Amino acid sequence: MSRIGRKPVPIPKGVKVEIKNGAVKVSGTKGTLNTAIHPDITVEVKGEEVLVTRPSDVKEHRALHGLFRALIANMIKGVTAGYTKKLELVGVGYRAEMKGKVLQLALGYSHPIVFRAPDDIKLEAPTQTSIMISGSDKQLVGLVAAKIRSLRPPEPYKGKGIKYEGEYIRRKAGKTAASSGTK
């Protein structure tokens, strides 16, 4: 059996898990999340745990078993604690600021970039060079962070751009042929 799929998912107090018509609905203090379940995978609530089972040891069933157990665990964590991603802006003149519910970015282009997040996502700019993205859906938080990062990904020569907090940017050496003295 799958090591991940075999583990039951504990349900904390204040979280309600419902299984109807091939879908799992998890609701808690931070909101409500839904996901459809593959017809071959069985999900059931027993006491204070969610159990995920599979019909056979076929490779596809083994993969789906761990996948849906992880998705349900992420949903439960999302409605209780939530998820947060932090981005850093590196570069002279690169800055971010909130204008109401809209994030306005200056990224070295001739115009400011305006970014509107989905309703479930909360954007913050605690400083001019950092952005915080938070919400209850792990996939959506990651998607919004990736979209903002794609506006100006970090470049390998000076490291300028938008990067995840703690991300290591592998640097390349610049041109050295001019200083070697050969023609």
Side-chain angles (χ1 to χ4, degrees):
M1 289 192 64
S2 164
R3 284 185 230 159
I4 300 292
R6 192 177 1 178
K7 294 180 185 174
V9 182
I11 303 171
K13 290 190 189 299
V15 175
K16 186 177 171 189
V17 178
E18 296 176 29
I19 301 160
K20 287 184 186 173
N21 303 329
V24 175
K25 179 180 177 183
V26 179
S27 46
T29 56
K30 300 249 181 194
T32 302
L33 297 172
N34 298 310
T35 190
I37 300 294
H38 193 275
D40 293 343
I41 301 299
T42 307
V43 178
E44 57 187 343
V45 177
K46 282 193 177 175
E48 295 298 313
E49 296 178 328
V50 178
L51 299 173
V52 181
T53 55
R54 64 176 188 237
S56 68
D57 279 344
V58 178
K59 187 175 183 180
E60 180 186 8
H61 289 161
R62 289 194 318 252
L64 291 172
H65 189 206
L67 168 74
F68 284 107
R69 189 265 179 210
L71 289 176
I72 292 169
N74 288 343
M75 289 167 57
I76 289 174
K77 183 179 176 196
V79 298
T80 54
Y83 290 96
T84 302
K85 287 253 186 198
K86 295 179 183 173
L87 298 174
E88 297 173 349
L89 282 72
V90 179
V92 176
Y94 289 15
R95 62 184 177 275
E97 64 176 315
M98 293 299 298
K99 299 265 183 164
K101 293 190 175 193
V102 176
L103 180 68
Q104 187 171 348
L105 300 163
L107 299 174
Y109 297 115
S110 62
H111 59 282
I113 296 172
V114 176
F115 186 84
R116 288 177 179 78
D119 294 336
D120 303 340
I121 298 297
K122 182 182 175 194
L123 292 175
E124 294 177 53
T127 65
Q128 286 189 343
T129 58
S130 65
I131 303 168
M132 282 184 54
I133 303 140
S134 56
S136 61
D137 189 350
K138 184 176 187 176
Q139 293 173 346
L140 192 57
V141 168
L143 179 70
V144 169
K147 279 185 180 179
I148 293 173
R149 184 181 183 272
S150 73
L151 297 172
R152 180 67 95 170
E155 52 96 11
Y157 296 101
K158 292 185 179 178
K160 292 169 45 171
I162 302 174
K163 64 178 190 139
Y164 296 111
E165 184 181 56
E167 179 183 8
Y168 174 73
I169 306 300
R170 193 164 160 211
R171 297 289 178 83
K172 289 183 177 180
K175 292 182 180 179
T176 56
S179 64
S180 65
T182 59
K183 290 186 179 184

